């Protein structure tokens, strides 16, 4: 694809439209107005700074399934830039309501326990969510004694270390399958998670055939897909927390779980509640 900046005038918006036309009908049809693809393409164009050749290279990568955050090396979450690369999941804005909820829960816990808290994220990934929570807790003057980030993927923890250092967050990052490697004498006051719920081995996986399929296949697979059913990780978190840290509160973002799965988990854990988390999502909650 031979496209040169000298073929276009200096209006960046008009240039963007004309480049898409010049790339051919396949590209223009995919990057339609109002779609996620258009948002991503405009983001790449802005970051290319008028360099058409650079933009076209990035656009080809995006259309092949690469994600803008991985292409650019950063992601924006809760208004802050964090390092991003293929080793770690890209935090999504649909979890911001969960962030709000956790701050409120931390405020309640500080009053209840009358001391600084120990807060643990299971599946910390690249650390953007944990950093955002720590920033909000600091803004609310909430005392936190210890931040813990657990993940089964050691490569993702290396990304989390970069982001936590940039955020000046003192945190213990532990490679662990759920809570298995966390010492029982370091019981968290709050355990929270935003677990994966896809199952690519199951017939009719809800990512298949949607615009989310390419997105999820571009991410670390263990952060998106689980073996054993959509709520397998949710259940393991609840089981391990109940067995090893019975005094800890547990909060799990349900994302897009079907009601039938939510009801099944509730039946297995009588002390569990489901509470609103944003306009259309919920979270499991087990209070200590």
């Amino acid at each position: 694809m031979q496209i040169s900046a000298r073929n276009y005038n200096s209006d960046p918006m008009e240039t963007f439209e004309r480049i898409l036309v010049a790339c051919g009908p396949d590209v223009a049809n995919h990057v339609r107005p109002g779609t996620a693809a258009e948002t991503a393409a405009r983001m790449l164009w802005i970051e290319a700074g008028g360099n058409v050749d650079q933009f076209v290279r990035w656009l080809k990568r995006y259309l092949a399934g690469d994600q803008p955050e991985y292409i650019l090396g950063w992601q924006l979450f809760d208004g802050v830039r964090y390092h991003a690369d293929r080793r770690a999941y890209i935090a999504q804005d649909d979890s911001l309501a969960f962030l709000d909820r956790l701050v409120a829960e931390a405020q309640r816990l500080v009053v209840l326990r009358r001391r600084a808290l120990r807060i643990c994220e299971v599946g910390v990934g690249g650390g953007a969510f944990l950093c955002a929570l720590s920033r909000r807790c600091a803004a609310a003057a909430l005392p936190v004694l210890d931040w813990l980030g657990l993940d089964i993927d050691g490569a993702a923890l290396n990304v989390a270390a970069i982001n936590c250092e940039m955020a000046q967050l003192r945190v213990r990052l532990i490679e662990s399958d759920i809570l298995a490697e966390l010492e029982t004498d370091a019981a968290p006051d709050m355990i929270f998670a935003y677990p994966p719920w896809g199952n690519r081995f199951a017939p009719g996986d809800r990512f298949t055939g949607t615009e989310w399929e390419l997105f999820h296949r571009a991410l670390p697979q263990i952060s998106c897909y689980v073996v054993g059913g959509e709520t397998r990780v949710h259940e393991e978190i609840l089981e391990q927390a109940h067995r090893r840290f019975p005094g800890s509160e547990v909060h799990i973002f349900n994302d897009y779980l079907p009601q039938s799965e939510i009801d099944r988990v509730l039946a297995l854990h009588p002390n569990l509640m489901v509470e609103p988390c944003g306009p259309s999502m919920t979270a499991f909650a087990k209070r200590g």
Side-chain angles (χ1 to χ4, degrees):
M1 186 182 299
Q2 298 298 318
I3 302 175
S4 171
R6 64 177 176 270
N7 295 335
Y8 303 96
N9 63 32
S10 59
D11 182 339
M13 300 307 291
E14 183 179 349
T15 300
F16 174 79
E17 303 293 349
R18 294 178 65 187
I19 289 171
L20 292 185
V21 172
C23 286
D26 288 344
V27 171
N29 288 336
H30 185 82
V31 187
R32 296 187 302 277
T35 64
E38 185 202 25
T39 300
R42 288 191 183 279
M43 174 184 175
L44 295 174
W45 170 245
I46 291 169
E47 291 299 313
N51 184 328
V52 176
D53 293 328
Q54 178 69 81
F55 169 68
V56 171
R57 287 195 295 271
W58 284 348
L59 184 61
K60 285 182 175 180
R61 289 174 57 186
Y62 170 70
L63 294 175
D66 210 351
Q67 293 305 302
E69 293 85 354
Y70 293 157
I71 294 169
L72 299 175
W74 60 267
Q75 70 169 104
L76 187 68
F77 182 70
D78 197 31
V80 176
R81 280 196 184 196
Y82 296 98
H83 175 75
D85 66 43
R86 291 180 183 84
R87 293 174 293 175
Y89 184 83
I90 300 167
Q92 298 296 294
D93 285 346
D94 61 6
S95 63
L96 290 175
F98 189 47
L99 192 59
D100 293 334
R101 176 186 179 82
L102 291 175
V103 173
E105 294 293 343
Q107 290 173 321
R108 181 185 56 79
L109 266 178
V110 166
V111 173
L112 179 67
R113 303 197 174 184
R114 299 181 181 180
R115 57 172 173 77
L117 303 178
R118 178 174 284 116
I119 298 178
C120 174
E121 180 175 12
V122 176
V124 69
F129 193 97
L130 190 67
C131 289
L133 179 60
S134 71
R135 183 169 56 85
R136 289 198 183 192
C137 285
L142 293 175
V144 179
L145 173 68
D146 207 5
W147 290 100
L148 303 163
L150 279 56
D151 205 287
I152 195 172
D153 188 350
L157 290 174
N158 291 330
V159 180
I162 294 171
N163 283 322
C164 291
E165 183 177 2
M166 290 172 56
Q168 298 182 321
L169 173 61
R170 296 184 62 182
V171 58
R172 283 202 297 150
L173 298 172
I174 302 170
E175 187 172 342
S176 178
D177 187 359
I178 315 293
L179 295 160
E181 301 303 320
L182 186 60
E183 307 92 335
T184 53
D185 60 355
D189 296 285
M190 178 190 290
I191 297 168
F192 72 91
Y194 180 3
W197 49 266
N199 187 350
R200 64 178 172 179
F201 299 110
D205 175 69
R206 282 176 286 142
F207 294 150
T208 305
T210 70
E211 66 179 33
W212 287 101
E213 182 176 11
L214 279 179
F215 172 73
H216 282 89
R217 292 191 183 279
L219 305 183
Q221 297 300 277
I222 199 164
S223 69
C224 298
Y225 297 100
V226 293
V227 177
E230 293 177 315
T231 60
R232 184 61 254 164
V233 177
H234 301 68
E235 293 174 56
E236 287 186 0
I237 293 169
L238 292 166
E239 290 163 3
Q240 290 190 27
H242 175 73
R243 185 175 69 253
R244 304 188 70 239
F245 305 105
S248 300
E249 294 204 351
V250 182
H251 299 273
I252 306 177
F253 191 42
N254 289 338
D255 207 351
Y256 301 100
L257 288 178
Q259 189 61 47
S260 59
E261 287 297 298
I262 292 175
D263 291 342
R264 190 178 62 78
V265 175
L266 286 174
L268 295 172
H269 298 273
N271 61 341
L272 196 63
M273 298 169 285
V274 169
E275 299 177 343
C277 189
S280 60
M281 299 181 188
T282 59
F284 288 130
K286 182 196 80 68
R287 293 194 170 93

